[in-house]
Amino acid sequence: MTTPLEISSVFAPGHETVLRVEDAATGLTGFIAVHSTALGPAAGGLRMRPYASTDAAIEDVLRLSRGMTYKNAAAGLPLGGGKAVIMGDPAEIKSPELLRAFARAINTLDGKYWTAEDMGMTPADMTILAEETRFVAGLPDGKFASGDPSPITARGIFQSIRTTARHRFGSADLTGRTVAVQGLGHVGAHLCRMLHEAGAKLIVADLDTARVAQAVAEFGAQPADATGILREKADILAPCAIGGILNESTIDGLQVAAICGGANNQLATDEDGKLLHARGILYAPDFVVNAGGIINVATEILEIGARDAFVDEKLAALDTTLDRILTRAAQRGCSPNDVATEIVDEILAPKAA
Ligand code: NAD
């Protein structure tokens, strides 16, 4: 017998649909936010974490789903922006029944929202969701399964670092440039390898000291502590761990000429983009730079047969978009983050009209 679900609407101006999903039998409380379907079905991952309150979970899902609209549009994908969150510690309450209940809630949106892996979720969890819904990507196997997105994410960041370097230093050549990488997880580790092979010198930090030790051994990287890395002298900072690290208390201490990395929501607020600009630090907007992952996931949602060609084409287009953003920002003397937001608004405006 299937569990009865309670699904209700959450009032969220600016979003198309936000659902609250509850299932007493499995302890499920979650939210699905569809920010925009102007460009296509909303796509964005499912995150599970122990939020401090319902308000905190709603705030996260609204912010993340809006971010996906911007990321997907900037990447030239025929996808809108959406995201889902489940409240609770995955280690404590995640169960196949809970996931199946959530999948049934996804079905009520009739394909307006596609989910995938995010924090607290694994490919195996996606397989469980797929037992109930077809609107799921990031599956470990299947005809269009797209696998681990992080190598593609790292490729996108690497090419963006080169483009950022060209704008900031006049050359994309990274030989001898120092790059400080915060976070050596899925994305950071791949990125470090590419940077090392391109001749860059690395300064690295992670809360996991084993990952730092590995980067020191493999790439001759200089270790730094997890927060201290934001004060290291380097040409480029590549944040690849958590969001919100560029804020009014950290920006003053930065000793880099440019920032380009994979972490989502690096700026605590849009104002911090302006602060970076005022300090003369060139910031490559994260939602443009880190779209390789969703490009990879898109091959699964859109059932792209010629996967590698699609990824190559979209990554090349991403590079052109970043170049346009940095060029326009330089011409206007403003923050690239503001220009990137403006460019996406231009893409969305005719569709939303
Ligand atoms: P991950 O969990 O594999 O790695 C994150 C790493 O950061 C871990 O090694 C962790 O120990 C470290 N870390 C956490 N907090 C830290 C801190 N305060 N200081 C230093 N290190 C810290 O995650 P990932 O998949 O590599 O993703 C990294 C970032 O990139 C995240 O913000 C993620 O949202 C974003 N992102 C990832 C992808 C992808 O394809 N995986 C795509 C787009 C964006």
Side-chain angles (χ1 to χ4, degrees):
M1 202 184 80
T2 55
T3 320
L5 274 176
E6 277 185 45
I7 301 177
S8 53
S9 286
V10 175
F11 178 65
H15 276 67
E16 288 181 15
T17 309
V18 181
L19 298 181
R20 179 186 177 119
V21 182
E22 279 172 297
D23 179 49
T26 59
L28 166 68
T29 300
F31 297 89
I32 305 173
V34 174
H35 176 256
S36 168
T37 55
L39 299 178
L46 166 59
R47 176 173 289 193
M48 182 167 188
R49 42 178 300 230
Y51 288 100
S53 65
T54 313
D55 282 352
I58 294 176
E59 191 185 323
D60 207 29
V61 82
L62 295 183
R63 191 178 53 95
L64 291 165
S65 54
R66 181 177 181 276
M68 287 310 299
T69 298
Y70 279 76
K71 188 185 298 203
N72 292 339
L77 296 170
L79 296 173
K83 201 87 184 182
V85 301
I86 294 177
M87 297 180 67
D89 185 342
E92 284 175 17
I93 67 156
K94 188 164 71 179
S95 67
E97 294 74 26
L98 177 146
L99 292 171
R100 283 195 281 264
F102 198 72
R104 290 197 293 279
I106 292 173
N107 280 340
T108 66
L109 288 164
D110 279 330
K112 261 176 77 175
Y113 169 67
W114 277 76
T115 202
E117 218 182 311
D118 195 77
M119 273 165 64
M121 287 291 139
T122 65
D125 295 329
M126 297 301 109
T127 305
I128 295 172
L129 292 174
E131 291 171 15
E132 293 280 347
T133 183
R134 69 184 183 87
F135 306 114
V136 53
L139 296 169
D141 44 49
K143 189 169 173 207
F144 295 101
S146 56
D148 177 8
S150 19
I152 310 289
T153 305
R155 256 178 73 191
I157 299 161
F158 177 71
Q159 68 176 30
S160 300
I161 288 179
R162 283 177 45 86
T163 298
T164 304
R166 179 161 55 75
H167 278 263
R168 188 65 180 82
F169 309 114
S171 166
D173 187 358
L174 298 177
T175 314
R177 292 254 170 250
T178 305
V179 185
V181 182
Q182 184 189 42
L184 303 170
H186 287 96
V187 173
H190 287 294
L191 180 64
C192 282
R193 177 169 310 282
M194 290 181 212
L195 291 168
H196 175 67
E197 284 167 4
K201 291 186 256 176
L202 297 172
I203 304 176
V204 297
D206 198 295
L207 297 176
D208 182 339
T209 51
R211 292 185 175 172
V212 175
Q214 195 178 345
V216 170
E218 268 190 73
F219 311 126
Q222 176 191 321
D225 77 63
T227 47
I229 194 154
L230 298 176
R231 292 186 296 274
E232 291 286 339
K233 201 167 168 24
D235 293 308
I236 297 170
L237 170 67
C240 294
I242 48 167
I245 53 136
L246 303 173
N247 54 54
E248 55 183 12
S249 55
T250 59
I251 289 175
D252 266 356
L254 294 172
Q255 296 197 72
V256 294
I259 300 174
C260 180
N264 279 312
N265 303 316
Q266 291 165 32
L267 298 171
T269 67
D270 285 341
E271 276 311 300
D272 295 312
K274 297 186 204 313
L275 270 181
L276 287 173
H277 175 69
R279 279 218 47 208
I281 299 172
L282 186 61
Y283 172 70
D286 53 19
F287 64 85
V288 178
V289 162
N290 71 13
I294 191 70
I295 289 171
N296 190 65
V297 167
T299 61
E300 194 170 341
I301 298 176
L302 304 171
E303 301 191 345
I304 306 283
R307 192 170 162 269
D308 291 350
F310 180 88
V311 168
D312 289 350
E313 182 209 313
K314 291 294 175 199
L315 283 182
L318 204 73
D319 202 31
T320 306
T321 302
L322 179 63
D323 184 46
R324 221 171 109 209
I325 290 166
L326 298 183
T327 303
R328 208 191 272 190
Q331 284 163 348
R332 295 225 199 118
C334 68
S335 147
N337 187 57
D338 289 348
V339 173
T341 307
E342 183 185 291
I343 285 180
V344 172
D345 286 338
E346 283 166 13
I347 296 170
L348 292 172
K351 309 277 181 183

